[in-house]
Amino acid sequence: MIKSVQLDTIQLTYSDSGSGQPVVLLHGFPLDHAMWTPQIVALSDHARVIAPDLRGFGQSTLGPQDAEQGVEMHQYAADILGLLDKIGVKEPVILCGFSMGGYILWQFALRYPERVKAIVLCDTRAVADTAEAREGRIKTADEVLRLGTDSLVAGMLPKMLSKATLSQRPEVVRQVTQIMRSCQPAAVAAALRGMAEREDVTAKLAKISQPALIIVGTEDAISPPAEMRSISESLSHVQFVEIPEAGHMTTMENAGAVSESLQRFVTEMTGG
Ligand code: MLT
């Protein structure tokens, strides 16, 4: 069920289904909660699945200065805390972040550890942008505000999907493109500026003591398996799952395998 709450200057919309242990799914960039549709369906028989649209994305609104000033990862994390408080979820959640959602997850887990029971990192990174990548993001943010998101979407799509998905699975290509195209330029610019500013959390990973599951597509070109393996070496209780037949967009390219891993992990974490 789609619901929304008012948080200071923004309205945050989220999908809320099932009951029991809360599992929060944080989407990537430039996407919205719809990227988790198969996992929401699969998990809501076992848990309460809360999948927000991050500020500015999907049906959620953006703050007045966000497009120009950017939204830092800790601000998105604070929004999630605000959402949980507002809907009365006080118990620790299983927090799952995909790519940019993973950057937000780090901030949430480091700032509000008492609100986290376990973490799931999907196709994400711990390092900051290089100086060159940072510069590219700022330039793209300005361009997107002037010209729209078409060229960003066209440039990102081949990095998001595996070669096989791109050439043989038009339905997946269409679905991912549709979600990317529906993102508002202002939200995209805000997130680009925020990601450009994000910190390198590598040295802080050892502070995260909750059990972790790492999921990565075998052909992920944005957060490759080798990089995610090195993240797993810094976490204490960690399981590592490589998803075959998938690039970066594991949740949509091999939805069944991701749902199965998540379900197994949630069941383990809830003693089921
Ligand atoms: C994402 O999928 O969220 C993005 O690829 C993250 C990024 O651009 O660093």
Side-chain angles (χ1 to χ4, degrees):
M1 192 191 296
I2 301 296
K3 302 178 179 174
S4 67
V5 291
Q6 186 69 36
L7 299 176
D8 295 330
T9 59
I10 64 156
Q11 189 166 34
L12 208 78
T13 300
Y14 62 103
S15 156
D16 192 350
S17 47
S19 59
Q21 169 66 49
V23 178
V24 177
L25 306 176
L26 304 178
H27 65 77
F29 167 90
L31 300 159
D32 63 34
H33 84 274
M35 64 156 282
W36 293 112
T37 303
Q39 290 73 39
I40 293 171
V41 172
L43 283 173
S44 53
D45 280 345
H46 309 262
R48 178 176 181 185
V49 187
I50 299 163
D53 284 336
L54 296 167
R55 69 162 64 202
F57 292 95
Q59 310 278 320
S60 294
T61 60
L62 205 60
Q65 308 297 322
D66 288 346
E68 290 73 28
Q69 291 179 358
V71 178
E72 292 201 42
M73 300 301 108
H74 63 78
Q75 176 61 62
Y76 291 116
D79 291 344
I80 302 308
L81 184 73
L83 167 65
L84 294 176
D85 284 347
K86 203 91 188 201
I87 64 176
V89 174
K90 296 285 183 207
E91 69 202 276
V93 303
I94 298 179
L95 187 60
C96 179
F98 172 87
S99 202
M100 183 177 87
Y103 309 158
I104 298 164
L105 179 154
W106 298 131
Q107 294 303 322
F108 192 99
L110 290 165
R111 286 162 193 255
Y112 322 117
E114 70 288 352
R115 305 295 289 265
V116 182
K117 183 183 179 74
I119 56 174
V120 183
L121 298 147
C122 295
D123 305 275
T124 193
R125 316 187 71 193
V127 292
D129 278 355
T130 60
E132 193 188 349
R134 193 172 303 135
E135 219 173 282
R137 293 222 208 240
I138 303 299
K139 198 167 146 234
T140 309
D142 294 339
E143 268 170 23
V144 158
L145 286 179
R146 276 188 293 115
L147 306 168
T149 61
D150 284 359
S151 84
L152 170 93
V153 172
M156 276 195 82
L157 200 63
K159 295 183 205 145
M160 302 283 270
L161 300 170
S162 74
K163 285 198 175 66
T165 303
L166 280 165
S167 61
Q168 292 156 31
R169 301 182 61 203
E171 188 53 21
V172 176
V173 177
R174 194 190 60 76
Q175 285 168 351
V176 175
T177 309
Q178 193 181 20
I179 303 177
M180 288 169 81
R181 278 196 192 289
S182 71
C183 295
Q184 298 301 315
V188 169
L192 282 166
R193 296 192 210 285
M195 285 193 285
E197 293 306 318
R198 78 185 191 281
E199 68 170 328
D200 182 340
V201 294
T202 311
K204 296 185 177 173
L205 295 182
K207 292 188 188 165
I208 299 176
S209 57
Q210 290 89 343
L213 168 66
I214 292 190
I215 291 176
V216 61
T218 309
E219 292 164 61
D220 188 337
I222 295 176
S223 41
E227 187 175 324
M228 293 210 73
R229 277 257 177 233
S230 71
I231 294 177
S232 76
E233 281 154 20
S234 303
L235 294 168
S236 25
H237 314 284
V238 61
Q239 302 177 35
F240 189 92
V241 176
E242 221 172 287
I243 304 292
E245 292 166 29
H248 187 59
M249 278 307 312
T250 44
T251 66
M252 296 173 77
E253 293 182 85
N254 196 341
V258 172
S259 299
E260 213 180 288
S261 298
L262 274 173
Q263 239 177 63
R264 204 174 34 238
F265 186 68
V266 168
T267 306
E268 266 178 47
M269 293 304 115
T270 52

